[in-house]
Amino acid sequence: MSVVTDKSNASVKDTQNSAKEDTKKVVYETKDLNLWYGEGHALKNINLAINENEVTAIIGPSGCGKSTYIKTLNRMVELVPTVKISGEILYRGRNILEKSYQVEDLRTSVGMVFQKPNPFPKSIYDNIAYGPKIHGIRDKKILDEIVEKSLRGAAIWDDVKDRLNQNAYGLSGGQQQRVCIARALAIEPDVILMDEPTSALDPISTLKVEELVQELKKDYSIIIVTHNMQQAARISDKTAFFLNGEVIEFAETDKIFSNPSDKRTEDYITGRFG
Amino acid sequence: MSVVTDKSNASVKDTQNSAKEDTKKVVYETKDLNLWYGEGHALKNINLAINENEVTAIIGPSGCGKSTYIKTLNRMVELVPTVKISGEILYRGRNILEKSYQVEDLRTSVGMVFQKPNPFPKSIYDNIAYGPKIHGIRDKKILDEIVEKSLRGAAIWDDVKDRLNQNAYGLSGGQQQRVCIARALAIEPDVILMDEPTSALDPISTLKVEELVQELKKDYSIIIVTHNMQQAARISDKTAFFLNGEVIEFAETDKIFSNPSDKRTEDYITGRFG
Amino acid sequence: MKGVFFVAKGVVHEHDQNLNVREIIQEKKKTKSFNNYTEKFIPKILFGIAAISVFTTIGIVLTLLTETIAFFKDVPFIDFFTGTKLKPLGENAVFGVLPLLTGTLISTAIAMLVAIPVGLMTAVFLSEYASEKTRRLLKPILEILAGIPTIVYGFFAFTFVTPLLRSFIPGLEPTNILSPGIVMGIMIIPMVASLSEDAMSSVPNSMREGALALGATKLEVTWKVVIPAAISGIIASFVLGISRAIGETMIVTIASGSSKNFTFDVTQSMQTMTAYIVEVTGGEAAAGTTLYYSLYAVAMTLFVFTLIMNMVAQYISRKFREEY
Amino acid sequence: MKYVDSTQVQKKMGSRLMANNLAKTLFFLSTLFGLLVLVVLIYRVLKDGLPWIDIDFLMNRLSTDPERAGIWGAITGTLWLMVVVAPVTMLLGIGTAIYLEEYATKGRISSFIKTNISNLAGVPSVVFGILGLTVFARTLDLGSVVLAGGLTMALLVLPVVVVASQEAIRAVPQFLREASYGMGATKWQTIKNVVLPAALPGILTGVILALSRAIGETAPLVVIGIPALLIPIPDGIFDKFTILPVQIYYWTIDSALVAEYANLAAATIVILLLVLFVMNSIAILIRNKFQKRY
Amino acid sequence: AACGGGDNEGGNGEELEGSVVIDGSGTVYPFMARMAENYMGEQENVSVEVSRSGTSAGFKKFLAEDGTDYNDASRQIKDEEKAKAEELGIEVQEMKVALDGITIVINKDNDWATELTEQEVKDIFLASAGKKKWSDVRADFPNEEIKTYGPNENHGTYEFMFETILEEQDLPEDINLQQDYSTLVDLVSKDKNAIGFFGYGYYESNKDKLSAVKVDFGNGPVEPSLDTIKEDGDYAPFTRPVFTYLNVNNAKEKPQVLDYAIYTMNNAQDVAKETGFAPLSDEDVQASLDTLNGLKK
Ligand SMILES: Nc1ncnc2c1ncn2[C@@H]1O[C@H](COP(=O)(O)OP(=O)(O)OP(=O)(O)O)[C@@H](O)[C@H]1O
Ligand SMILES: Nc1ncnc2c1ncn2[C@@H]1O[C@H](COP(=O)(O)OP(=O)(O)OP(=O)(O)O)[C@@H](O)[C@H]1O
Ligand SMILES: [Mg+2]
Ligand SMILES: [Mg+2]
Ligand SMILES: O=P([O-])([O-])[O-]
C-alpha cells in the first residue's frame, strides 16, 4: 500500500510542477488533505492545485472519494457529524479549514451544483432570488435583474421566462438542473463545484449542461466530478483521477486520456475496472 | 416474438418426450400455464413435466419468472392479490389450480424452502414441531422423534442437538437454512420446492446444503431454483432454462450444460448475458 | 409588446456592466453583524423553548409533590393507602384511597376486557385477513372513533348504554362502573387495534410464507407465528390502553356517579381517582384544608400509575424494535 | 416409519379450515363492532339533537330555559380558547421540534427531552387540569379565564405538535438543506427559508390535530373551574368562559332535572362533531395535497 | 375581572358593566340562575356567573381574599364563618331570599312509604335507629333494604338535616351522598327502594320522576307545597329560609354588585314562585331593601 501511495504522490508532484508552469492563477490549493468518516479513511494525502478559469474534472470509480473531496472544498462535508479532517486547503491563499474561516463566506464565493437537481419547492423566481436575498439584497428591481441575468447565464431563460412564478418542480429534470446552476450563478461566485451534474439527466439535457459549462469557464473556475469519462474528456482542461481516496494522477485532460503515466489510470480509462 | 415462442415450445416438447421414456413417475405436470401480475405477463405458456425422486433445477436470468413458477407449484403465488392464472398444473394427476383443491392440503404434501432463511422467532424445537403440531400431532414423544429425525435429515442435528430450546435466530445463516429445510421435512412432504436456498449463504454452508439436496432426492422430489449455474450442474438431474417468462429449454442437466439445443441457452450458460 | 420587451432587455444589458452582485454582497456583509447575533441566539432561544416541556413535567411533579407532602402530614401514608373508607367531607373526614383505587382498577379492567379482545381481533382482521381495499376503508373509520371527544362517550354511556344495560341486568344501579367501563373499552379499541396492527404488519412476510408453505391455515399462521412475533408491540398497545383507561375522566365522572364504595360489585356506583379530582375541584377546593391536599395526593397516585404504564410501554416497544 | 399419517391429516383439515373461517368471521365482526358503535352513537346523537339545532340555538346565549338556551357563549369561548392555544402550542411545539431535529446533538439531553415528551403525552388530562388550576389560575392569579385554560390546554396538546413537527422536519430532504448551505446561507436562514416552508404542511396537519384535541377536552377545564351558569359572551382572553364540551357536560348531568337538557347536550355534540370533522378533513386534505412533492 | 368605574351611583335603570360572581348553595342555584338570567336581560354589560358548589363549600370561596361577591346558602352563616369574615375584614350582609321545605322524596314505584310520621323519617336517616329494611320501619312495608340518598357535606341541606332535623346525630354509614342534585334526582328516580332529601324546588321540577313523602308532624300527613312550606305553614318543622350573603366591601366598590342585590330583592317573590320556593313576606323584602339602600352612598 505504501508503495502505491508513494507512486501516486510522485505523479501528483509532477503534475503540480507542470501546473505551475501555467500562467494561470491557482484558486484552490490542497495540501496533504486527509479525511475520515468516523474510522473510514476516505481521503488520503490529497495534494492538488486548481487553476482559475479552467474546468477541472475529477474522475474515479464509485466510492473513491470524489464527492467527499469536492464537498470538502466548500466544507459541506462537515454536515456529516463524524467527519475529521487534517491538512490544508488554500482558497485564494487562505486556509479554509481554519476555524476562523466563516463557512458562509466561503460558500458565497464557491457555488455548488449537485448530482440530483435540487431546486427549492418554490417558484423559479424565488429559487434564483434565494441567494441574493439571504445575502441582504431586497431591492425588487435588482433582484429582477439578477434573476434574468442568472437564468440567461444558465441558458434556461427562454424556457422559463413566461413562468417564473411557477413551482420549479414543474420543470423537467434537465431544466431543473439548469435552474440550479442559475441559482448558483445568482450570487456571482468565483468557483463553481459540480458533483456529477448530469448523471440524472437525459442525453440532450446533458449536452446542454456540458455546453453551458464550457461557456461558464470564461467567468468562473469550475471543478466537476463525473462518472462519464467521455464527458471529462470533452469538457475539462485538467483531470484528476481518484482511487481509494488517493489522487493517482492529475494532469492535462489530453495527457490523461491519451498517455496516462499510471497503469491504474490506464486500466480505469480503458474500462478494465470501475 | 411469436417465432421465439414456437421455437421454445418445440424444444419443450422434445424434452417432454424424452422424459416420458424414463421409467420414473411424473409428480408435476404443467400444461399451458400462463400467469399475470396485474398487466404484467410473468409466465407464458409453460409446459413442463417433473419426475419423482429427481432434482430438477430451474435457471434463468433475474426476473425471468423462476420464483413465480415455483411459487405457483404450491399456489403460494396467490398471496399477491393481483395474480391471474390460466392453464393446468397436475400434481399427482389432479389439477391444483382448481378452486376445489385445498391449498392447505397441497402445501402439506409440497414443502418449500425460501431464498432467505425464515425460521420462526421461536426455539429450534418449536420451529420443527410447528408443522406436525398444526396437523394435529400433539403427542410429545412422537414430536420429539419427528424433530430429531427431521434435524438429522437436514444434517443439522449435531449442530443443534444441545440447544433445541434456544431461539433459532441465534444460529448462523447456513444453520438457519438447514433448520428451515428440517422444518419442511418434518411434515414428510412428497415434493420439496427450493427457491435459491443457498443464495444467502457462505460457500461452506452452500456446500452442505448441496450435499443435503443430493441426499434428500432419495426420498423426495426436489425442484430447485438457482442463480448459480455450477450449482445446477452439480446437483440436478434435469434443468429448465427460463427466459422472459418462457421455458426455452428443458432437458437432462448434462445435455443442457454440454450441448444446449437453443442458442439462447448457450449464451446464458456461457455467461454472455444474465 | 415587442417594443416593451426590447426595452426591458436593453435595460438589463446596460446594467450587465455595472450590476456586480459580488460587490453588493460584500458591501452588505459589512452590516451583517445582526445576522451573527441571530445565529448565536436562535439555538439558545429554541433550547429554552424545548426546555419548557421539561419544565411542564417538573411543574406537574412539583405541584403534586409539595401538596402531597402536606397531605401526608395530616393523614398517615399507611392510612391513605390501606384505608377502605373515603369520606372526604364533613367533620369526621376519612381519607382511604382504596375505594378510588378499586374504582379505577375495576373500570380499567372492564375497559380492557372489551378493548383487548375486540381491538386485537380487529387488528388481526385488518393485518392478516382484509384486502388492501377493505383495510383502506376501515382504518379511517376506526380513526374517527379514536377522535371522538370523551365527553361524547360519557353522554353515550349515560344516556344510552346504561339504560340499555339496565333493561337486561336488573340489579344494575342507575350509575354504575360497568357501563362507563364498557364505553371506555370501546373508546380504547382503536388505539389497541391500530398499534397492534402496526406491530403485526411489521412482522416480515417471509415468516408468514414459511408457515403457509407447511400447510398452515391463516388462523394458525396468525396465532402461532404472527402474534408471537409481534407480541411485544401488541403488549405495548395493551399497556398504553391501560394507561389511557386509568387516566380517563369524563366518562366515569358522568356515568359512574360519585359513591365512594369499596366494593368489587360492578353493578354499583364507584368513583375513580380521576372522577374524585373532578368532584373535589368542582365543589369545595379552598386551599389549606386536608380535602384540598387530598386532591393532590390522589392526582399524584394517578400520575405515578400512568407514568409507570407509559414507561413500561416504551420499554417494551423499544425492545420490540430490536428484535428483527 | 411415517409419522405424519396423511389420512389423519386429511381428516383434521376440515375442522382446521372451519376454525379458520369461523375465526375470520369473528375477526370481521369485531371490526364491524367499532363501526356499529359509531353508527349507533351518531344516530342517537342526531336523533336527539338535530331537531334542536337552528339558528337560535347557535346564536343564543345560555339560559336555564331549554327553549331559549343557545351555545353562542360556548362557541365564542371555544374560539377564544383557540386564540390562546394555537399560537402558544405552535410556538412551543415547532420550536421544540426545530431544536430537537436541527440543533440538538444526538445525546443525553435530546433523548431526555424526547422521553419527557412521550411521557407528557401519557399524562392524564385531569392532571394537566390540576397543573393549570394550581399554577395559572391560583399562583399566577389569573382565575378561571380563557388565558389560564388556554395555557393549560396548550401544554396538554404540545406533544402532538412536537411529534408531528419533528416528523415533518425530518421528512425534508437533506438535499434541500445542502442546496441552501451551498448558497452561503447560515443555519437559521436555511431553517427559516427552506426547511420550515417545506415542512409546513406536515406541521400544519399536526397543529390542526392538536387543536381538534383541545376543542374536545373537558376535564382540565372543569378542574380549572368553569361556572355552571355563565351567560355573558367572553370577549377577551381575560374573561371567564365556557366551551362546547363543558356545556355538554353540565347539560348531561342536569338532564336529570330538565329532560330537554339531554337534547341540548346532543345538539351541542352534533355541532362539536361537525367542527372536528371539518378540522380533520382539512388536515387530511393538506396531507394529501402536499404529499410527495419532491 | 373588570370592575366598575368611578360612578358609584348604582340603582335601577342605569347602564352598568363589570361582573358579579356568585357561588354557594345548590338549592338556591335554580333561583339565582333565573335571577341572574333576568338581570342580564336588563343589564346587558354586566356578567353574572352562578356556580353551585354547595353552601359550605361556597362559604370557603366567599370568605377568601378576592372571594366571590355573593354566597347562596340554604342555612344561616355559622359562627366560625362569621369569625373568619371578621378576620379578613369582610363585611357580610345576610339577605333572606325565599323559603324552602326539605322534601323527602321516594321512587315513583314506591307505593308504601307515601306517608310517614316525622319520627319515621328521622329514624330512616338516623344511623342509631338501625332501620336497615323497610320492614324495620313498619311491619307491613316490604322486606327490602332501604337505600338512603342525600346531598354531601358541601351542602347546607345536609347540614340542616344533620343539625336541625337529626339534632347532630349521625346519618347511616351507607347513605349515598352526592355533590350534584341532578345526580340525586336521577338516582332516586331509578331506585325503587330509594329515599332521599333535598330542597322543594328540585322536587317540584321533577314531579313526574319522583314522589314526595307526606310527613305527619302530629296533625296528619302534610304534603310539601308552596302553600305548606311557609314559616307558619303545616310543613313548618321542615321549612327553612334560604339566603344569599353579600360581600358589602365588594358592593361598595362595584356598583353592579349592589345593583344586583337590590334587583334580587325586588324580584325575589316572583322568581321564588317560578323556581319552586315559597315567597317571602312583603315586610321581609322591604326590610332587606332598606338595608341595601342604606349601603348606597
Ligand atoms: N456520510 C458518510 N458516512 C460515512 N462514510 C461515508 C459517508 N459518505 C461517504 N462515505 C464513504 O466515503 C467513501 C467515499 O465516498 P464518496 O461519496 O466520496 O465517493 P464517490 O467517489 O463520490 O462515489 P460515487 O461515484 O458513488 O458518488 C466511500 O467509501 C463511502 O462509503
Ligand atoms: N408481486 C409482484 N407484483 C408484480 N410483479 C411481480 C411480482 N413479483 C414478481 N413480479 C414480476 O414478475 C416477473 C418475474 O419475477 P420473478 O420474481 O418470478 O423472477 P425471478 O426469475 O425469480 O427473478 P430473481 O432471479 O431476481 O429472483 C418480474 O418481471 C417481476 O417484476
Ligand atoms: Mg459521489
Ligand atoms: Mg426469484
Ligand atoms: O346546596 P345546598 O343548598 O344544600 O348547600
Side-chain angles (χ1 to χ4, degrees), chain E residues 274-291:
Chain E
E274 287 169 28
T275 52
F277 293 89
L280 297 177
S281 63
D282 292 344
E283 300 86 72
D284 280 349
V285 170
Q286 199 48 52
S288 280
L289 278 174
D290 289 346
T291 322

Side-chain angles (χ1 to χ4, degrees), chain A residues 37 42 60-69 80 82 115 195-196 225 227:
Chain A
Y37 289 113
S62 193
C64 66
K66 306 182 297 293
S67 297
T68 303
Y69 177 64
V80 179
T82 56
Q115 179 163 4
D195 189 357
E196 308 194 29
V225 166
H227 246 112

Side-chain angles (χ1 to χ4, degrees), chain E residues 24-28 53-56 73-74 151 154-158 181 240:
Chain E
S25 166
T27 310
V28 184
S53 35
T55 303
S56 307
S74 56
N154 278 335
H155 291 276
T157 306
Y158 173 89
Y181 285 106
R240 56 180 176 163

Side-chain angles (χ1 to χ4, degrees), chain E:
Chain E
C3 59
D7 253 2
N8 271 3
E9 267 297 275
N12 289 343
E14 194 162 331
E15 280 281 315
L16 292 169
E17 55 176 34
S19 68
V20 177
V21 182
I22 307 171
D23 201 341
S25 166
T27 310
V28 184
Y29 172 79
F31 170 94
M32 214 35 132
R34 180 67 58 85
M35 187 69 75
E37 199 179 333
N38 292 347
Y39 181 74
M40 273 183 280
E42 299 190 2
Q43 288 286 358
E44 297 249 325
N45 295 321
V46 176
S47 130
V48 185
E49 58 181 77
V50 190
S51 302
R52 50 178 192 204
S53 35
T55 303
S56 307
F59 267 125
K60 297 210 170 103
K61 294 184 187 170
F62 180 69
L63 300 171
E65 302 226 8
D66 291 327
T68 48
D69 298 319
Y70 290 87
N71 190 51
D72 300 337
S74 56
R75 58 159 171 81
Q76 231 161 352
I77 190 166
K78 290 186 195 166
D79 288 342
E80 61 257 39
E81 286 160 349
K82 277 187 194 155
K84 175 87 183 176
E86 226 154 84
E87 183 189 314
L88 289 166
I90 298 173
E91 191 187 329
V92 177
Q93 174 63 50
E94 178 179 288
M95 294 161 61
K96 198 200 274 187
V97 292
L99 297 171
D100 178 38
I102 295 272
T103 304
I104 311 300
V105 290
I106 52 175
N107 191 276
K108 275 267 164 201
D109 295 335
N110 182 333
D111 51 6
W112 58 90
T114 50
E115 295 177 1
L116 296 170
T117 66
E118 186 182 5
Q119 191 54 46
E120 281 169 340
V121 170
K122 287 180 183 171
D123 284 350
I124 287 173
F125 288 105
L126 269 178
S128 54
K131 306 281 183 200
K132 294 256 177 227
K133 296 193 167 165
W134 284 107
S135 50
D136 298 341
V137 179
R138 261 187 230 171
D140 59 338
F141 283 179
N143 182 17
E144 287 190 60
E145 227 177 295
I146 305 177
K147 297 273 195 59
T148 50
Y149 293 88
N152 68 21
E153 296 88 336
N154 278 335
H155 291 276
T157 306
Y158 173 89
E159 292 184 60
F160 186 80
M161 187 75 173
F162 175 64
E163 283 170 12
T164 309
I165 298 180
L166 302 179
E167 291 154 353
E168 310 222 348
Q169 301 177 71
D170 283 339
L171 282 86
E173 269 286 292
D174 59 352
I175 186 169
N176 188 335
L177 299 178
Q178 295 286 335
Q179 170 69 21
D180 273 298
Y181 285 106
S182 47
T183 320
L184 277 178
V185 170
D186 194 49
L187 290 170
V188 175
S189 73
K190 287 171 178 165
D191 184 346
K192 197 174 169 189
N193 290 309
I195 183 163
F197 63 93
F198 42 65
Y200 176 74
Y202 284 110
Y203 163 67
E204 203 205 39
S205 51
N206 294 287
K207 273 183 171 163
D208 51 333
K209 293 182 196 137
L210 306 166
S211 306
V213 174
K214 292 174 189 139
V215 185
D216 186 344
F217 298 103
N219 302 316
V222 184
E223 175 162 24
S225 74
L226 291 187
D227 290 333
T228 54
I229 58 177
K230 295 207 179 90
E231 259 160 355
D232 50 357
D234 295 337
Y235 203 72
F238 281 7
T239 295
R240 56 180 176 163
V242 294
F243 309 90
T244 190
Y245 286 85
L246 168 64
N247 180 326
V248 176
N249 306 11
N250 289 0
K252 285 181 177 159
E253 253 172 56
K254 308 181 204 167
Q256 73 277 12
V257 172
L258 183 55
D259 189 61
Y260 183 74
I262 294 168
Y263 181 89
T264 301
M265 289 323 299
N266 278 329
N267 296 281
Q269 289 169 315
D270 293 341
V271 173
K273 276 183 258 175
E274 287 169 28
T275 52
F277 293 89
L280 297 177
S281 63
D282 292 344
E283 300 86 72
D284 280 349
V285 170
Q286 199 48 52
S288 280
L289 278 174
D290 289 346
T291 322
L292 292 174
N293 283 321
L295 294 176
K296 281 202 213 171
K297 260 206 291 193

Side-chain angles (χ1 to χ4, degrees), chain C residues 198-208 225-227 229-230 320 324:
Chain C
D198 289 348
M200 289 196 262
S201 306
S202 64
V203 172
N205 251 330
S206 66
M207 281 185 198
R208 289 186 185 83
V225 177
V226 179
I227 289 181
F320 163 68
Y324 15 69

Side-chain angles (χ1 to χ4, degrees), chain B residues 62-63 65-68 71 115 195-196 225 227:
Chain B
S62 193
K66 306 181 295 293
S67 297
T68 303
K71 279 199 245 162
Q115 178 163 3
D195 189 356
E196 307 195 28
V225 166
H227 245 113

